[in-house]
Amino acid sequence: MPAARDVSTVAAGLDPMGWIRISGGTGPAGEWHPAQYIPDLWWSAAPLAQGGMPVTGLTLIGAAQVAALLGGRLPTSAEWEWMASGGGHRRFPWGDHEPAPGTANLRGPGPGRPTPVTAHPAGRTPEGLWDVGGNVWEWTTAPWRCDRIALLRGGSYHSLVQYASCTHANDVPGHLSSPGIGVRPVRTTPPGPVSVRAVGGVA
């Protein structure tokens, strides 16, 4: 297992990022969570990146620290599923159809390594978020679980297609760091004087 990256070095070299507002609602129970209310959240428009490439090699704690430095936090698994599925209406982040070439970086059609976070425009969510399915897994938390184990969402460049579905999750220890795990922060408050796209509500 590779050594985890230094949080301060990661935070200092991040590419400029945008935020997209996703309105909340009552999320149904799923395999990994009970039914619960999902608040309005501002999501990073793409996984955190440096030089266009996704930031990887962060443990759960390291990912949470970077998110906090940006004024955000890690999403819960239920929040991630709400965002990816459009409130439970999509099988995959981009829609209900199986990925076509150019939709997502997954095992088989992909190059077998991470790609730039904006390399698959056909795979954007209808709300405009990049790389939700494939390329790198995304850290999420599961505060309702007794074991407090971390859950990875979205699949990676090494994942089969079904791992990119909105309902799939992979339970892993929080100390894991990998070139296939990235991070997408969320904010519970507006991000301030930056470009924000309102989705399902008023920014």
Side-chain angles (χ1 to χ4, degrees):
M1 183 176 66
R5 298 181 63 185
D6 177 77
V7 170
S8 60
T9 301
V10 170
L14 291 175
D15 294 348
M17 55 187 295
W19 301 87
I20 293 178
R21 182 175 184 256
I22 304 291
S23 293
T26 302
E31 179 181 359
W32 300 95
H33 56 264
Q36 59 193 272
Y37 177 75
I38 306 297
D40 293 357
L41 290 171
W42 285 260
W43 290 80
S44 174
L48 297 183
Q50 291 179 327
M53 298 298 292
V55 170
T56 62
L58 291 169
T59 64
L60 178 69
I61 292 176
Q65 290 172 336
V66 171
L69 290 172
L70 298 172
R73 61 171 172 81
L74 295 182
T76 68
S77 181
E79 290 168 346
W80 189 97
E81 187 168 319
W82 176 270
M83 171 276 293
S85 68
H89 301 295
R90 298 190 291 264
R91 180 184 174 196
F92 295 104
W94 53 82
D96 291 329
H97 59 279
E98 296 277 329
T103 303
N105 181 8
L106 295 162
R107 185 191 302 184
R113 63 181 182 277
T115 51
V117 296
T118 58
H120 297 87
R124 295 175 75 184
T125 70
E127 298 80 20
L129 279 76
W130 295 84
D131 246 12
V132 177
N135 206 18
V136 292
W137 292 98
E138 298 180 7
W139 280 117
T140 71
T141 62
W144 52 86
R145 295 184 63 176
C146 293
D147 54 14
R148 299 296 178 113
I149 200 164
L151 290 174
L152 298 178
R153 290 289 198 155
S156 76
Y157 62 89
H158 192 59
S159 295
L160 299 173
V161 168
Q162 59 264 34
Y163 292 1
S165 69
C166 299
T167 57
H168 182 84
N170 189 13
D171 51 346
V172 297
H175 64 263
L176 181 68
S177 62
S178 165
I181 303 175
V183 56
R184 185 190 303 268
V186 295
R187 292 179 57 105
T188 56
T189 58
V194 296
S195 176
V196 179
R197 174 179 172 182
V199 179
V202 178

